[in-house]
Amino acid sequence: MTNRTIFACTLLLGLLTACPGDGEATSGASTQAGTQVASESGGPGTEGSGQATGEPTTGAATEATATSATATEASTTSASTTSASTTTNTSTNGTSETDTAGDPPPLDDTACQGYATRYWDCCKAHCGWEGNVNPATEPLQSCDKNDQSLGPAYDVASSCQAPAEGSAFTCYSNAPWAVSSTLAYGFAAVPAMGDICGRCYQLDFDGTGHYNAQDPGSVALGPKTMIVQATNIGHDVGGGQFDILTPGGGVGLFDACSYQWNVATPELGATYGGFMTHCQQQVGNNDHAALKQCVLARCAAVFDEPGLAELAAGCQWYVDWYEVADNPNLHYQEVACPPQLVAVSGIDRGPLNDLAACSGGGGDCSQEEMDSCDCSWTNGGQNCGQDDGSCCWTACCG
C-alpha cells in the first residue's frame, strides 16, 4: 500500500447513544492501572476466529488498553508520506502540513464524559468485514504482512487467527497523527454495540487521568482535542471509552505484531499498556521526562526499519503530542468525519447524515441482534468479564 500522506484522513450507536453517568466504563473495562481493554481481532461469524461469514459480530476483542500509562510527547520525525493522490511532509512535531483546517470549537454541555485507552495488536479490525459495516458504506481495507493493501478483499482471514504473509493486518496508515499542536486525528475501538463503523467522535481532554487524576501526561494533554473514527470494537471496552490505535500501545489478548514485525513478544512491552506500562515498571510513574525518554527509546528500537516509518511516527506522536498520557479523561460527542480520516479509512458515513446525539438514542437489543452473535469468544463463559452493555454480552453471558 502507499504510505500515508494526507495523514489527514459517531462510539457504536450504543456507546455514544447513552452517556454513562460518571464516565466510568459500563463493564469489562479495566478499573485499575495496569490493565487494558480488548479490541476485536476476529471476523464476522466467529468472534476472534477470522472466519468470513458476513455476519456482524460483537464479542471478544484483543485487550490493548493501557490503564497505567503516563503522558509522553510524540515527536514525529520529518518524513514524506503519500496518500491516494497527495504528498505531505510531516514536520518534526508530527503536524501534517496539508492539514490546515482550524481546531473545532469546544464541545458544549451536551457532551458525554469518557476516557481514552490505547492498543495496537496488528489484527484485522471489526470494520474490515463486509458483514459488520453499514451496507451504504465500504468496509475498512486491511493490509498484508508487508503493509501492502489487500484492496477490496474483505474476506481475508485475520492475522491474529491465521498468521501468514497474506493474512489481514492493520494498515500502518491507521496510526494517529497531529494536525496542529492542539488537534490530532486517529482511529479507535469502541464498545461492541450497534452500527458504529465509520462514526467519528470529537474528544476534548480535560487535564485529568481516569485512574490517577494527577497523571502528569493527562495534565499536559488537557487543553488538546482529538477526532477519532471508530474502526474496531472491544467486548471489554465500556461506555464512554475510546481505545485509541497507538503503535506500541500494547497487543492485549491477540498478538499479530510479533509475527508481522519479526520481534520477540517481550520487545512489545507490557501485554496491556505496551511501551508505556513497561517504562512505568522501569522508572516509576512520577518522572514524566524519564518516561518520555524511555518510551521514545522503545519506539526507536522496535520501529527501526524503513518500512515501519509510519509506526515510528505514530509512536513518537504518543510521546510528543499525546504526552504519554495514561488513560486521560475527556468529553466526547459524535461529529461529522473530517475528510482526512475518511481518505485513510475509506469509510464515509457522510451521505447517511445519521449523527447521533450523545445522550439520545439507545434502547434494548433486538432478538435479531442477539441471534447474530457468535458466543465462541466466551470460552464457556470464562471470558465474559463484567457486562459491557453490548448485545452480544447479553446474548452470550447474560
Side-chain angles (χ1 to χ4, degrees):
M1 69 175 272
T2 58
N3 287 334
R4 187 182 53 181
T5 165
I6 279 183
F7 254 136
C9 348
T10 241
L11 279 177
L12 302 153
L13 277 179
L15 158 59
L16 293 201
T17 51
C19 289
D22 58 0
E24 292 292 330
T26 57
S27 71
S30 46
T31 57
Q32 49 183 314
T35 62
Q36 290 180 308
V37 176
S39 314
E40 178 185 9
S41 71
T46 302
E47 189 65 30
S49 72
Q51 296 178 10
T53 66
E55 292 296 323
T57 60
T58 56
T62 58
E63 295 204 40
T65 299
T67 64
S68 64
T70 312
T72 64
E73 294 193 17
S75 62
T76 60
T77 56
S78 207
S80 219
T81 59
T82 58
S83 181
S85 60
T86 310
T87 299
T88 305
N89 289 324
T90 305
S91 66
T92 54
N93 70 352
T95 303
S96 175
E97 294 175 5
T98 60
D99 295 322
T100 57
D103 290 5
L107 298 175
D108 58 28
D109 57 8
T110 64
C112 285
Q113 292 183 326
Y115 69 104
T117 49
R118 61 188 180 275
Y119 84 103
W120 188 290
D121 56 15
C122 298
C123 303
K124 179 177 183 176
H126 171 81
C127 299
W129 301 94
E130 287 186 291
N132 291 338
V133 301
N134 189 295
T137 65
E138 292 294 320
L140 176 74
Q141 290 191 6
S142 301
C143 290
D144 65 14
K145 184 176 185 289
N146 298 312
D147 197 42
Q148 298 302 302
S149 175
L150 295 174
Y154 301 121
D155 60 349
V156 177
S158 171
S159 55
C160 283
Q161 301 303 320
E165 291 281 337
S167 296
F169 296 79
T170 299
C171 295
Y172 298 165
S173 59
N174 288 188
W177 72 96
V179 177
S180 70
S181 61
T182 54
L183 175 66
Y185 290 158
F187 300 91
V190 297
M193 181 192 297
D195 173 21
I196 58 88
C197 290
R199 293 186 183 276
C200 287
Y201 302 96
Q202 179 173 326
L203 314 180
D204 286 356
F205 300 104
D206 72 4
T208 65
H210 192 64
Y211 300 105
N212 173 13
Q214 298 305 312
D215 167 58
S218 297
V219 172
L221 184 65
K224 301 181 181 181
T225 294
M226 189 171 186
I227 297 179
V228 297
Q229 185 175 46
T231 56
N232 204 1
I233 63 171
H235 82 89
D236 272 350
V237 177
Q241 181 179 356
F242 294 83
D243 206 10
I244 299 174
L245 259 177
T246 307
V251 296
L253 291 177
F254 299 99
D255 170 22
C257 295
S258 56
Y259 171 80
Q260 184 178 24
W261 303 336
N262 299 312
V263 298
T265 300
E267 294 298 304
L268 301 176
T271 301
Y272 305 116
F275 297 164
M276 178 59 177
T277 300
H278 166 79
C279 287
Q280 287 178 319
Q281 295 167 351
Q282 300 300 309
V283 303
N285 299 325
N286 299 320
D287 192 334
H288 194 202
L291 282 167
K292 285 188 173 186
Q293 288 302 314
C294 179
V295 173
L296 195 60
R298 297 308 308 149
C299 295
V302 175
F303 306 125
D304 61 344
E305 298 294 331
L308 303 180
E310 285 184 290
L311 296 176
C315 191
Q316 292 173 329
W317 167 90
Y318 175 67
V319 176
D320 285 346
W321 191 93
Y322 201 74
E323 297 285 350
V324 292
D326 184 18
N327 298 345
N329 285 323
L330 53 86
H331 291 86
Y332 70 90
Q333 196 163 49
E334 183 175 356
V335 296
C337 289
Q340 298 92 329
L341 281 172
V342 173
V344 174
S345 71
I347 308 177
D348 185 6
R349 297 187 67 100
L352 297 177
N353 191 28
D354 64 344
L355 297 187
C358 181
S359 57
D364 296 331
C365 299
S366 69
Q367 189 59 51
E368 181 179 2
E369 288 176 304
M370 304 271 281
D371 291 343
S372 71
C373 298
D374 180 276
C375 300
S376 60
W377 61 269
T378 67
N379 190 23
Q382 295 184 41
N383 296 335
C384 284
Q386 296 179 338
D387 184 358
D388 63 3
S390 72
C391 295
C392 285
W393 192 97
T394 301
C396 302
C397 302

